[in-house]
Amino acid sequence: TLSSANTGTGFTSGISNMAPGDTVNRYVTLTNGGTLDAISLGMKVNATGTASLITDGTTPATNKALTVAVYSCTNGTWTAATGVCSGTTNTEIAATSLSALTTTVNFAVKNTLATLGTLNLKIETKLPDQNETTANGVPPTWTVQNGSATLSYLFTEAQRAVATTNS
């Protein structure tokens, strides 16, 4: 039973008015409330909205879509107001465009979670720095200007490896 709880704002508040180069961090705590240890922790993102915010452009479009990265804070907690981890910071999922997160990506470092264990995460959403040329007031066809996207995060786990017990 994997559940998430907000630390600070978490996922309860939308993100608005991002400009190229902006980063917004959200903090959540995952809890394994089940009776078995969990393995293969991971995450995927369902994204809908403006295509140029979800998928990187290709020539001649050069826009860079939103990226999401996941960091864990082990042996400590995140301070949402400052973004500081009081323990060890690990990169679980490097910055990845939304279109590449439509299938589950497993966490790189902290990919197990003991029964009743918690994992403190920072979810970093970034609009990469980029330039778009507007000609005579007309933005390029594949633009991020005035776009919007709705993101739904799905955290996943698997049960621990099977065991044999002899009596």
Side-chain angles (χ1 to χ4, degrees), residues 27-28 30 41 69-78 84-93 107-112 118-124:
Y27 302 90
V28 296
L30 295 184
L41 290 174
V70 179
Y71 303 92
S72 64
C73 178
T74 55
N75 302 318
T77 58
W78 293 101
V84 174
C85 166
S86 62
T88 302
T89 301
N90 301 301
T91 301
E92 300 297 348
I93 300 174
F107 292 171
V109 179
K110 184 64 176 157
N111 56 11
T112 62
T118 60
L119 181 60
N120 299 302
L121 300 176
K122 173 172 77 171
I123 312 299
E124 176 188 86

Side-chain angles (χ1 to χ4, degrees), residues 36 160-167:
L36 295 173
R160 64 155 172 79
V162 297
T164 300
T165 303
N166 296 306
S167 302

